Amino acid sequence: MIERSIFSEEHNIFRESVRRFYEEHIIPHHAQWEKDGQVSRNAWKEAGKQGLLCMPIPEEYGGAGADKLYSIIMMEEQARAGTTGPGFGLHSEIVAPYILNYGTEEQKKKYLPKLASGEMIGAIAMTEPGAGSDLQGVKTRAVKDGNEYIINGSKTFITNGFMCDLVIVVTKTDPSAGAKGTTLFLVEAGTPGFEKGRNLDKLGLKAQDTAELFFDDVRVPASNMLGGEGKGFFCLMQELAWERLQIAIGATATMEAVLDETIEYTKNRSAFGKDLIEFQNSRFKLAEQKTQVQIARVFVDKCIEELLKGQLEVATAAMAKYWTSEIENRVIDECLQLHGGYGFMWEYRVARSYADARVQRIYGGTNEIMKELIARSL
Ligand SMILES: Cc1cc2nc3c(=O)[nH]c(=O)nc-3n(C[C@H](O)[C@H](O)[C@H](O)COP(=O)(O)OP(=O)(O)OC[C@H]3O[C@@H](n4cnc5c(N)ncnc54)[C@H](O)[C@@H]3O)c2cc1C
């Protein structure tokens, strides 16, 4: 098989410690968290204590100032462990970078150290009941009132939404100005008028809290504006390639893990006096899946190289997100079939990964929107 070449020896050592973190602090609790619909605060604090949150954030703000490959290892090991509960990726690689890149010095000093320690959990609220793919349709309003803004509206499907202490809210400050009327605000949990709704019951990602958020005359100081008035859309667009590649990274690492487990399963289960792997159908199915996963791996690693050089194009990241998430669903489906009835049982990783994989084609921009972006580049 083609060897990976993007990681150094230091990265490999770091990977071992991340793997231990998942084995000791996440895997043993995950089944309970699936029942609870959320992970424990302790898991966040432990990740913070071990320096695994907000790794790319500079040390002066509590992060590790690490290169993106460390973040990628964190994501790959979470995928390998099959523990989709903790919303670490969104918190560390989307929410914190928004504050780092667009925040004022005061905002960075106030929030980044707490996000890095796990004391605060971050979320980003774009989607609304009436606006998902079409973000220009956001209805949440922020109206200036002296030195404050008053926010009214509602959001849905927000990852970390039920547990969040800090949420970046996408609002309209000038509904007549289209994209230029979009503004981001930082809103802390506990601000009067900001209510968390239901922790939504989902098909997969059972241990991850995904919630509705309501804003009813929520007053925030103007200093909570993130990135400047009317700059919200611009901020949202800047990191999209990286945000989409994160989905491809998770998809690929998940496929690899599920396929490895399936190969082992077919070596250990027998029917008609043979191990499953001896049937030509099993061998061909596994050969097909192995080929697809290998192609995904090479493509995603190449995209990572482009990202590190600052050259990952929007259309290429869209291809990675769209294609790997489609392949992930297909590969896991074939792996589940090779498990027979056991593949349908929740206690088997392949069943959980099957459920979890479905949303990868929907969030982070649906795959139809990805194709639209690719088509625009033609
Ligand atoms: C588990 C989960 C976690 C999420 N986390 C977050 C989060 O943390 N923050 C957040 O803000 N949002 C989050 N989302 C929301 C997610 O980003 C949206 O669900 C997604 O963008 C799609 O929006 P929608 O659900 O409104 O679907 P719609 O936009 O209504 O789309 C419905 C269908 O129409 C298709 N469609 C729409 N427009 C076009 C077009 N132009 N061309 C072709 N087809 C089109 C779509 O592809 C889709 O198939 C999350 C969603 C889920 C399920």
Short mmCIF file of all heavy atoms in Angstrom, two decimals, residues 69-118:
data_model
loop_
_atom_site.label_atom_id
_atom_site.label_comp_id
_atom_site.label_asym_id
_atom_site.label_seq_id
_atom_site.Cartn_x
_atom_site.Cartn_y
_atom_site.Cartn_z
N LEU A 69 -1.09 19.85 11.05
CA LEU A 69 -1.00 18.38 11.05
C LEU A 69 -1.36 17.81 12.42
O LEU A 69 -1.86 16.69 12.53
CB LEU A 69 0.40 17.94 10.62
CG LEU A 69 0.67 18.13 9.11
CD1 LEU A 69 2.14 18.00 8.81
CD2 LEU A 69 -0.14 17.13 8.29
N TYR A 70 -1.09 18.58 13.48
CA TYR A 70 -1.48 18.12 14.82
C TYR A 70 -3.00 18.08 14.94
O TYR A 70 -3.56 17.13 15.49
CB TYR A 70 -0.85 19.02 15.90
CG TYR A 70 0.63 18.80 16.05
CD1 TYR A 70 1.55 19.50 15.29
CD2 TYR A 70 1.11 17.84 16.94
CE1 TYR A 70 2.92 19.27 15.40
CE2 TYR A 70 2.48 17.60 17.06
CZ TYR A 70 3.38 18.33 16.28
OH TYR A 70 4.72 18.08 16.40
N SER A 71 -3.65 19.09 14.40
CA SER A 71 -5.12 19.10 14.42
C SER A 71 -5.65 17.92 13.63
O SER A 71 -6.64 17.28 14.01
CB SER A 71 -5.65 20.38 13.78
OG SER A 71 -5.01 21.51 14.32
N ILE A 72 -4.99 17.64 12.51
CA ILE A 72 -5.45 16.55 11.64
C ILE A 72 -5.31 15.21 12.36
O ILE A 72 -6.19 14.35 12.28
CB ILE A 72 -4.67 16.60 10.30
CG1 ILE A 72 -5.14 17.83 9.51
CG2 ILE A 72 -4.84 15.32 9.49
CD1 ILE A 72 -4.27 18.21 8.33
N ILE A 73 -4.21 15.05 13.09
CA ILE A 73 -4.02 13.81 13.86
C ILE A 73 -5.14 13.66 14.89
O ILE A 73 -5.70 12.58 15.08
CB ILE A 73 -2.63 13.81 14.53
CG1 ILE A 73 -1.55 13.65 13.45
CG2 ILE A 73 -2.53 12.71 15.61
CD1 ILE A 73 -0.13 13.87 13.94
N MET A 74 -5.47 14.76 15.54
CA MET A 74 -6.56 14.74 16.53
C MET A 74 -7.86 14.25 15.88
O MET A 74 -8.57 13.40 16.41
CB MET A 74 -6.71 16.17 17.08
CG MET A 74 -7.69 16.34 18.18
SD MET A 74 -7.14 15.60 19.72
CE MET A 74 -8.59 15.95 20.74
N MET A 75 -8.15 14.76 14.68
CA MET A 75 -9.38 14.36 13.98
C MET A 75 -9.32 12.90 13.54
O MET A 75 -10.30 12.16 13.65
CB MET A 75 -9.56 15.20 12.70
CG MET A 75 -9.88 16.62 12.96
SD MET A 75 -9.74 17.54 11.40
CE MET A 75 -9.48 19.15 12.09
N GLU A 76 -8.16 12.50 13.02
CA GLU A 76 -8.05 11.12 12.53
C GLU A 76 -8.18 10.12 13.67
O GLU A 76 -8.79 9.06 13.51
CB GLU A 76 -6.70 10.94 11.83
CG GLU A 76 -6.63 11.67 10.49
CD GLU A 76 -5.32 11.46 9.74
OE1 GLU A 76 -4.36 10.90 10.33
OE2 GLU A 76 -5.26 11.84 8.57
N GLU A 77 -7.61 10.46 14.81
CA GLU A 77 -7.68 9.52 15.94
C GLU A 77 -9.10 9.47 16.51
O GLU A 77 -9.54 8.42 16.98
CB GLU A 77 -6.65 9.88 17.01
CG GLU A 77 -5.23 9.57 16.58
CD GLU A 77 -5.04 8.10 16.16
OE1 GLU A 77 -5.44 7.19 16.91
OE2 GLU A 77 -4.50 7.87 15.06
N GLN A 78 -9.79 10.59 16.47
CA GLN A 78 -11.19 10.57 16.92
C GLN A 78 -12.01 9.67 15.99
O GLN A 78 -12.83 8.87 16.44
CB GLN A 78 -11.77 11.99 16.95
CG GLN A 78 -13.23 11.99 17.42
CD GLN A 78 -13.73 13.35 17.87
OE1 GLN A 78 -13.05 14.35 17.73
NE2 GLN A 78 -14.93 13.38 18.42
N ALA A 79 -11.75 9.78 14.69
CA ALA A 79 -12.45 8.95 13.71
C ALA A 79 -12.08 7.49 13.90
O ALA A 79 -12.93 6.60 13.86
CB ALA A 79 -12.11 9.41 12.30
N ARG A 80 -10.81 7.23 14.11
CA ARG A 80 -10.35 5.85 14.28
C ARG A 80 -11.03 5.21 15.51
O ARG A 80 -11.44 4.06 15.48
CB ARG A 80 -8.83 5.84 14.46
CG ARG A 80 -8.25 4.45 14.60
CD ARG A 80 -6.74 4.51 14.80
NE ARG A 80 -6.22 3.18 14.99
CZ ARG A 80 -6.18 2.56 16.16
NH1 ARG A 80 -6.64 3.16 17.25
NH2 ARG A 80 -5.71 1.34 16.25
N ALA A 81 -11.15 6.03 16.58
CA ALA A 81 -11.77 5.52 17.81
C ALA A 81 -13.28 5.31 17.62
O ALA A 81 -13.92 4.64 18.43
CB ALA A 81 -11.51 6.50 18.95
N GLY A 82 -13.84 5.90 16.59
CA GLY A 82 -15.29 5.75 16.35
C GLY A 82 -16.11 6.49 17.39
O GLY A 82 -17.24 6.11 17.68
N THR A 83 -15.53 7.55 17.94
CA THR A 83 -16.22 8.29 19.00
C THR A 83 -16.59 9.68 18.47
O THR A 83 -15.81 10.61 18.59
CB THR A 83 -15.32 8.43 20.24
OG1 THR A 83 -14.05 8.94 19.81
CG2 THR A 83 -15.11 7.10 20.93
N THR A 84 -17.79 9.75 17.90
CA THR A 84 -18.18 10.99 17.24
C THR A 84 -18.80 12.00 18.20
O THR A 84 -19.21 13.08 17.77
CB THR A 84 -19.18 10.67 16.11
OG1 THR A 84 -20.15 9.75 16.63
CG2 THR A 84 -18.49 10.03 14.93
N GLY A 85 -18.88 11.66 19.48
CA GLY A 85 -19.55 12.55 20.44
C GLY A 85 -18.91 13.91 20.61
O GLY A 85 -19.54 14.94 20.36
N PRO A 86 -17.66 13.97 21.04
CA PRO A 86 -17.09 15.28 21.36
C PRO A 86 -16.95 16.17 20.12
O PRO A 86 -16.37 15.75 19.13
CB PRO A 86 -15.70 14.94 21.92
CG PRO A 86 -15.76 13.50 22.31
CD PRO A 86 -16.72 12.86 21.36
N GLY A 87 -17.51 17.37 20.20
CA GLY A 87 -17.42 18.30 19.07
C GLY A 87 -16.14 19.10 19.11
O GLY A 87 -16.14 20.32 18.95
N PHE A 88 -15.03 18.39 19.33
CA PHE A 88 -13.73 19.07 19.48
C PHE A 88 -13.33 19.80 18.20
O PHE A 88 -12.78 20.90 18.25
CB PHE A 88 -12.62 18.06 19.81
CG PHE A 88 -12.73 17.38 21.15
CD1 PHE A 88 -12.20 16.09 21.35
CD2 PHE A 88 -13.34 18.01 22.23
CE1 PHE A 88 -12.28 15.46 22.58
CE2 PHE A 88 -13.43 17.39 23.47
CZ PHE A 88 -12.90 16.11 23.64
N GLY A 89 -13.58 19.17 17.05
CA GLY A 89 -13.12 19.74 15.78
C GLY A 89 -13.77 21.09 15.52
O GLY A 89 -13.08 22.07 15.22
N LEU A 90 -15.08 21.14 15.67
CA LEU A 90 -15.79 22.40 15.42
C LEU A 90 -15.29 23.49 16.38
O LEU A 90 -15.05 24.63 15.99
CB LEU A 90 -17.29 22.18 15.61
CG LEU A 90 -18.09 23.43 15.35
CD1 LEU A 90 -18.98 23.26 14.14
CD2 LEU A 90 -18.92 23.80 16.55
N HIS A 91 -15.12 23.12 17.63
CA HIS A 91 -14.67 24.04 18.68
C HIS A 91 -13.26 24.57 18.39
O HIS A 91 -13.03 25.79 18.41
CB HIS A 91 -14.70 23.24 20.00
CG HIS A 91 -14.06 23.85 21.18
ND1 HIS A 91 -14.77 24.56 22.12
CD2 HIS A 91 -12.79 23.83 21.63
CE1 HIS A 91 -13.95 24.96 23.08
NE2 HIS A 91 -12.74 24.53 22.81
N SER A 92 -12.34 23.64 18.10
CA SER A 92 -10.93 24.01 17.99
C SER A 92 -10.55 24.55 16.62
O SER A 92 -9.66 25.39 16.50
CB SER A 92 -10.04 22.79 18.23
OG SER A 92 -10.24 22.27 19.52
N GLU A 93 -11.21 24.03 15.59
CA GLU A 93 -10.75 24.33 14.23
C GLU A 93 -11.68 25.25 13.47
O GLU A 93 -11.39 25.62 12.34
CB GLU A 93 -10.57 23.02 13.44
CG GLU A 93 -9.62 22.04 14.10
CD GLU A 93 -8.22 22.61 14.29
OE1 GLU A 93 -7.79 23.43 13.46
OE2 GLU A 93 -7.57 22.25 15.30
N ILE A 94 -12.82 25.60 14.05
CA ILE A 94 -13.71 26.54 13.38
C ILE A 94 -14.00 27.74 14.30
O ILE A 94 -13.68 28.87 13.97
CB ILE A 94 -15.02 25.83 12.90
CG1 ILE A 94 -14.66 24.75 11.87
CG2 ILE A 94 -16.00 26.86 12.33
CD1 ILE A 94 -15.80 23.95 11.32
N VAL A 95 -14.53 27.45 15.49
CA VAL A 95 -14.92 28.56 16.39
C VAL A 95 -13.69 29.37 16.84
O VAL A 95 -13.64 30.59 16.65
CB VAL A 95 -15.71 28.03 17.61
CG1 VAL A 95 -15.99 29.16 18.60
CG2 VAL A 95 -17.00 27.36 17.17
N ALA A 96 -12.70 28.69 17.42
CA ALA A 96 -11.53 29.42 17.93
C ALA A 96 -10.80 30.20 16.83
O ALA A 96 -10.45 31.37 17.03
CB ALA A 96 -10.59 28.46 18.66
N PRO A 97 -10.58 29.60 15.64
CA PRO A 97 -9.91 30.38 14.58
C PRO A 97 -10.69 31.62 14.14
O PRO A 97 -10.08 32.63 13.78
CB PRO A 97 -9.79 29.38 13.42
CG PRO A 97 -9.76 28.05 14.09
CD PRO A 97 -10.68 28.17 15.27
N TYR A 98 -12.03 31.58 14.19
CA TYR A 98 -12.79 32.79 13.86
C TYR A 98 -12.41 33.91 14.83
O TYR A 98 -12.22 35.05 14.44
CB TYR A 98 -14.31 32.55 13.98
CG TYR A 98 -14.94 32.03 12.72
CD1 TYR A 98 -15.43 30.74 12.66
CD2 TYR A 98 -15.09 32.85 11.61
CE1 TYR A 98 -16.02 30.25 11.51
CE2 TYR A 98 -15.68 32.37 10.45
CZ TYR A 98 -16.13 31.07 10.41
OH TYR A 98 -16.71 30.59 9.26
N ILE A 99 -12.32 33.54 16.11
CA ILE A 99 -12.00 34.57 17.11
C ILE A 99 -10.56 35.03 16.92
O ILE A 99 -10.27 36.23 16.97
CB ILE A 99 -12.27 34.03 18.54
CG1 ILE A 99 -13.76 33.69 18.68
CG2 ILE A 99 -11.82 35.04 19.60
CD1 ILE A 99 -14.14 32.99 19.96
N LEU A 100 -9.66 34.10 16.65
CA LEU A 100 -8.26 34.47 16.43
C LEU A 100 -8.12 35.38 15.21
O LEU A 100 -7.43 36.39 15.25
CB LEU A 100 -7.39 33.21 16.25
CG LEU A 100 -5.91 33.51 16.00
CD1 LEU A 100 -5.26 34.03 17.27
CD2 LEU A 100 -5.18 32.28 15.48
N ASN A 101 -8.79 35.02 14.13
CA ASN A 101 -8.59 35.74 12.87
C ASN A 101 -9.36 37.05 12.78
O ASN A 101 -8.92 37.98 12.13
CB ASN A 101 -8.98 34.85 11.67
CG ASN A 101 -8.06 33.65 11.56
OD1 ASN A 101 -6.93 33.68 12.02
ND2 ASN A 101 -8.55 32.57 10.97
N TYR A 102 -10.52 37.11 13.42
CA TYR A 102 -11.36 38.31 13.25
C TYR A 102 -11.65 39.03 14.55
O TYR A 102 -12.27 40.10 14.53
CB TYR A 102 -12.70 37.93 12.57
CG TYR A 102 -12.46 37.14 11.32
CD1 TYR A 102 -12.84 35.79 11.22
CD2 TYR A 102 -11.79 37.71 10.24
CE1 TYR A 102 -12.55 35.05 10.08
CE2 TYR A 102 -11.52 36.98 9.10
CZ TYR A 102 -11.90 35.65 9.03
OH TYR A 102 -11.60 34.93 7.91
N GLY A 103 -11.23 38.46 15.68
CA GLY A 103 -11.55 39.06 16.97
C GLY A 103 -10.67 40.25 17.30
O GLY A 103 -9.56 40.40 16.77
N THR A 104 -11.16 41.08 18.22
CA THR A 104 -10.34 42.16 18.75
C THR A 104 -9.40 41.54 19.78
O THR A 104 -9.62 40.41 20.24
CB THR A 104 -11.22 43.21 19.46
OG1 THR A 104 -11.91 42.53 20.53
CG2 THR A 104 -12.24 43.83 18.51
N GLU A 105 -8.39 42.30 20.18
CA GLU A 105 -7.45 41.80 21.19
C GLU A 105 -8.20 41.43 22.47
O GLU A 105 -7.93 40.39 23.10
CB GLU A 105 -6.40 42.89 21.47
CG GLU A 105 -5.15 42.43 22.17
CD GLU A 105 -4.47 41.24 21.52
OE1 GLU A 105 -4.50 41.10 20.29
OE2 GLU A 105 -3.92 40.41 22.28
N GLU A 106 -9.16 42.27 22.81
CA GLU A 106 -9.96 42.02 24.02
C GLU A 106 -10.73 40.69 23.91
O GLU A 106 -10.75 39.89 24.85
CB GLU A 106 -10.94 43.19 24.18
CG GLU A 106 -11.73 43.19 25.47
CD GLU A 106 -12.91 44.17 25.38
OE1 GLU A 106 -12.91 45.04 24.48
OE2 GLU A 106 -13.83 44.03 26.21
N GLN A 107 -11.34 40.45 22.75
CA GLN A 107 -12.10 39.20 22.55
C GLN A 107 -11.17 37.99 22.61
O GLN A 107 -11.48 36.96 23.21
CB GLN A 107 -12.82 39.23 21.19
CG GLN A 107 -13.99 40.19 21.15
CD GLN A 107 -14.51 40.42 19.73
OE1 GLN A 107 -13.82 40.15 18.73
NE2 GLN A 107 -15.72 40.94 19.62
N LYS A 108 -9.99 38.12 22.00
CA LYS A 108 -9.05 36.99 21.98
C LYS A 108 -8.61 36.66 23.40
O LYS A 108 -8.57 35.49 23.79
CB LYS A 108 -7.82 37.32 21.14
CG LYS A 108 -8.12 37.44 19.66
CD LYS A 108 -6.82 37.64 18.90
CE LYS A 108 -7.02 38.61 17.78
NZ LYS A 108 -5.87 38.83 16.95
N LYS A 109 -8.28 37.71 24.17
CA LYS A 109 -7.79 37.48 25.55
C LYS A 109 -8.90 36.92 26.43
O LYS A 109 -8.66 36.12 27.32
CB LYS A 109 -7.28 38.80 26.14
CG LYS A 109 -5.95 39.23 25.56
CD LYS A 109 -5.23 40.14 26.54
CE LYS A 109 -3.84 40.47 26.06
NZ LYS A 109 -3.72 41.86 25.61
N LYS A 110 -10.10 37.35 26.16
CA LYS A 110 -11.22 36.92 27.02
C LYS A 110 -11.62 35.47 26.75
O LYS A 110 -11.89 34.72 27.68
CB LYS A 110 -12.41 37.85 26.76
CG LYS A 110 -13.59 37.60 27.67
CD LYS A 110 -14.62 38.70 27.55
CE LYS A 110 -15.82 38.40 28.44
NZ LYS A 110 -16.95 39.26 28.12
N TYR A 111 -11.67 35.10 25.47
CA TYR A 111 -12.27 33.79 25.16
C TYR A 111 -11.28 32.68 24.81
O TYR A 111 -11.52 31.52 25.15
CB TYR A 111 -13.28 33.94 24.01
CG TYR A 111 -14.46 34.79 24.39
CD1 TYR A 111 -14.77 35.96 23.70
CD2 TYR A 111 -15.29 34.42 25.45
CE1 TYR A 111 -15.86 36.75 24.05
CE2 TYR A 111 -16.38 35.21 25.82
CZ TYR A 111 -16.66 36.36 25.12
OH TYR A 111 -17.73 37.13 25.48
N LEU A 112 -10.21 32.99 24.09
CA LEU A 112 -9.37 31.90 23.58
C LEU A 112 -8.77 31.02 24.69
O LEU A 112 -8.81 29.78 24.58
CB LEU A 112 -8.29 32.44 22.63
CG LEU A 112 -8.84 32.96 21.29
CD1 LEU A 112 -7.72 33.60 20.46
CD2 LEU A 112 -9.50 31.84 20.50
N PRO A 113 -8.23 31.61 25.78
CA PRO A 113 -7.67 30.73 26.82
C PRO A 113 -8.72 29.79 27.42
O PRO A 113 -8.43 28.63 27.72
CB PRO A 113 -7.14 31.71 27.87
CG PRO A 113 -6.90 32.98 27.11
CD PRO A 113 -7.99 33.03 26.08
N LYS A 114 -9.94 30.29 27.55
CA LYS A 114 -11.01 29.44 28.13
C LYS A 114 -11.45 28.35 27.16
O LYS A 114 -11.82 27.26 27.57
CB LYS A 114 -12.21 30.29 28.54
CG LYS A 114 -11.91 31.14 29.78
CD LYS A 114 -13.11 31.90 30.22
CE LYS A 114 -12.74 32.72 31.46
NZ LYS A 114 -13.76 33.70 31.79
N LEU A 115 -11.42 28.66 25.88
CA LEU A 115 -11.75 27.63 24.88
C LEU A 115 -10.63 26.57 24.85
O LEU A 115 -10.89 25.37 24.72
CB LEU A 115 -11.92 28.25 23.49
CG LEU A 115 -13.15 29.16 23.30
CD1 LEU A 115 -13.07 29.89 21.96
CD2 LEU A 115 -14.46 28.36 23.37
N ALA A 116 -9.40 27.02 24.98
CA ALA A 116 -8.26 26.08 24.92
C ALA A 116 -8.21 25.18 26.15
O ALA A 116 -7.75 24.04 26.06
CB ALA A 116 -6.96 26.86 24.78
N SER A 117 -8.69 25.67 27.28
CA SER A 117 -8.64 24.85 28.50
C SER A 117 -9.86 23.94 28.63
O SER A 117 -9.90 23.07 29.49
CB SER A 117 -8.56 25.75 29.74
OG SER A 117 -9.79 26.45 29.88
N GLY A 118 -10.87 24.17 27.81
CA GLY A 118 -12.09 23.36 27.92
C GLY A 118 -13.05 23.93 28.94
O GLY A 118 -14.13 23.35 29.18
#
